[in-house]
């Protein structure tokens, strides 16, 4: 597309404002969206950080899942951070029994996989898709990607050595037009993750 | 659970503490006194629960010294829900805070609702891995708490009353004082810092950014969906509801209504719909009828 894209940030709850700022700083239009009507006229959707179970409950009560899934089936690019990763996963581990998601990523997302808030941490990650410079990532009661399907591309992992065991932790993935991170680029000043998503939006 | 992340992974930083509060924005945090209430709150879409033994309305009615809750009771609530759990420590009671941190609570409220343990000093919150939220009635108080390490601020309002007027006053005061700083010349900020009794560096930061450096929720007297939506329209990032839900006639429905009104705070049609047939609100107390020494908002320095 040639015009400046407009990206909606799902504004049920969470750090909506930070994503809007990051998108603006990346040179695109960004608007909060929370009704089916407001989904018209957006070229991509960001599902922000927050509490995934609360987002699920409120998306059900406000009849948002069907329009969101319909937009995704129609090819709309979507990016989710933290709770947003859970909302874009096909399967949730350690969530509520009645938790629903938009889906789109053939992954199992494990909720609160690193522990409670006292275990929240920051770390430098290698993310080849955005360049050689490490990305300083903030993990807040974060999920991880416990399993991936064959069509899912891993964008970043925390190396096993850092976790003192034998398993890399997958924390950023992409499948087609849908991408997600366990961490929160929107509360840092590094715009490379948002720019990667905007490239997907522009190419779609 | 102790963190098994090592090497260059760092816990308890200012950014993960303040960032945690960012994730709560647009949500409702509900006071609960047992696991059953915690489940009702979670099912209604609460973003977090505040575990405490007595809600402020009962603390007010029963009197006596009010302290940190029993660890068993806090643990029972942690086990009952998967959303974040907060708990209250007395102002200045750093060992209550150490105990709450050891239980794995996600946020500590150093709260004027409990009886203060120190009438001079608040807790040194930098010393903790768990983040803290503190109450404030004005900008100077908010910045003093942030200087001590608070990662989130809430208005004090007047807890346990169902009277929203003090929460309104505190939110308006904080906003007006921020606007005043933003309109000042740089060389006027030295005296401004002295006047509001706040650290100069934080005063400069607020003046430049036009907002607090941490999330600002509202608390103290919110009892109805319209109360919650009004506070959001006044610029609150989210809402604490204390006695307002479980001291009302139909807690599950009221909890749901307040959550929906907070999400759709600019949509009067939604607020009208969720406000229908809610039954009895909590019995209110006019703040003006409470003698000054018994007003909880006066606690904190």
């Amino acid at each position: 597309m040639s015009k400046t894209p407009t990206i909606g940030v799902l504004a049920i709850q969470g750090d909506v404002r930070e994503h809007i700022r990051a998108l603006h700083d990346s040179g695109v239009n960004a608007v909060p969206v929370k009704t089916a009507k407001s989904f018209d006229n957006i070229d991509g959707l960001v599902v922000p950080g927050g509490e995934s179970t609360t987002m699920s409950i409120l998306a059900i009560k406000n009849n948002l899942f069907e329009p969101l899934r319909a937009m995704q089936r129609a090819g709309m690019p979507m990016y989710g951070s933290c709770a947003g990763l859970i909302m874009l996963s096909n399967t949730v581990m350690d969530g509520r029994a009645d938790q629903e998601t938009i889906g789109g990523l053939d992954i199992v997302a494990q909720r609160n996989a690193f522990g409670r808030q006292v275990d929240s941490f920051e770390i430098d990650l290698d993310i080849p898709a955005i360049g050689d410079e490490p990305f300083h990532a903030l993990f807040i009661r974060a999920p991880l990607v416990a399993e991936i399907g064959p069509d899912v591309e891993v964008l970043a992992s925390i190396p096993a050595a850092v976790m003192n065991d034998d398993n890399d932790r997958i924390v950023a993935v992409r499948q087609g037009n849908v991408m997600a991170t366990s961490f929160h680029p929107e509360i840092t000043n590094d715009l490379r993750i948002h720019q990667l998503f905007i490239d997907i939006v522009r190419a779609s | 659970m102790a963190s098994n992340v090592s090497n260059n992974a760092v816990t308890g930083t200012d950014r993960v503490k303040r960032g945690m509060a960012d994730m709560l924005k647009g949500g409702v945090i509900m006071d609960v006194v047992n696991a059953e209430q915690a489940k009702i709150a979670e099912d209604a879409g609460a973003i977090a629960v505040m575990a405490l033994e007595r809600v402020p309305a009962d603390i007010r009615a029963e009197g006596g010294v009010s302290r940190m809750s029993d660890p068993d009771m806090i643990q029972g609530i942690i086990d009952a829900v998967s959303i974040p759990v907060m708990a209250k420590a007395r102002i200045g009671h750093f060992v209550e805070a150490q105990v709450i941190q050891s239980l794995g609570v996600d946020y500590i409220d150093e709260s004027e609702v409990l009886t203060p343990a120190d009438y001079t000093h608040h807790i040194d919150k930098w010393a903790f891995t768990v983040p803290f939220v503190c109450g404030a009635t004005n900008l100077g108080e908010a910045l003093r708490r942030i200087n001590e390490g608070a990662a989130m601020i809430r208005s004090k309002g007047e807890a346990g009353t169902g009277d929203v007027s003090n929460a309104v006053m505190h939110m308006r005061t904080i906003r007006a004082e921020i606007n005043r700083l933003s309109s000042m010349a740089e060389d006027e900020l030295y005296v401004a810092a002295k006047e509001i009794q706040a650290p100069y560096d934080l005063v400069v930061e607020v003046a430049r950014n036009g907002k607090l450096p941490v999330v600002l929720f509202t608390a103290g007297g919110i009892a109805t969906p319209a109360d919650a939506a009004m506070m959001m329209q006044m610029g609150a990032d989210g809402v604490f509801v204390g006695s307002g839900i479980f001291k009302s006639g139909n807690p599950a429905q009221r909890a749901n209504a307040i959550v929906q009104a907070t999400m759709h705070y600019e949509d009067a049609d939604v607020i009208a719909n969720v406000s229908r047939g809610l039954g009895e609100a909590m019995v209110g107390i006019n703040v003006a009828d409470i003698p000054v020494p018994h007003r909880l908002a006066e606690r904190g320095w």
Side-chain angles (χ1 to χ4, degrees), chain B residues 23 34 51 76 94 108 121 157 178 234 237 252 259 267 287 298-299:
Chain B
M23 303 312 145
N34 56 42
F94 50 88
I108 296 179
H121 305 286
I178 290 173
M234 289 180 61
D237 289 319
V259 169
D267 189 334
V287 174
E298 309 283 329
R299 296 169 169 177

Side-chain angles (χ1 to χ4, degrees), chain B residues 95-127:
Chain B
V95 173
E96 283 190 352
Q98 290 165 7
V99 170
I100 293 171
Q101 174 170 276
S102 83
L103 295 173
V105 160
D106 296 295
Y107 237 96
I108 296 179
D109 184 4
E110 185 182 17
S111 178
E112 71 282 1
V113 167
L114 306 184
T115 308
D118 189 327
Y119 283 87
T120 309
H121 305 286
H122 282 249
I123 296 170
D124 173 10
K125 294 164 275 285
W126 298 112

Side-chain angles (χ1 to χ4, degrees), chain A residues 81-98:
Chain A
S81 66
C82 195
L85 177 143
I86 296 172
M87 288 285 279
L88 295 176
S89 67
N90 288 352
T91 309
V92 182
M93 187 195 301
D94 298 338
R96 285 172 63 91
D98 60 358

Side-chain angles (χ1 to χ4, degrees), chain B residues 65 87-88 98 100 122 158 175 181 191 201 217 230 236 245 250 252 255 263 265 275:
Chain B
V65 175
K88 289 183 193 290
Q98 290 165 7
I100 293 171
H122 282 249
E158 189 56 35
R175 190 172 61 185
L181 287 186
V191 171
D201 290 345
F217 267 49
M230 176 171 69
I245 290 170
N250 187 343
M263 172 180 169
Y265 66 93
S275 299

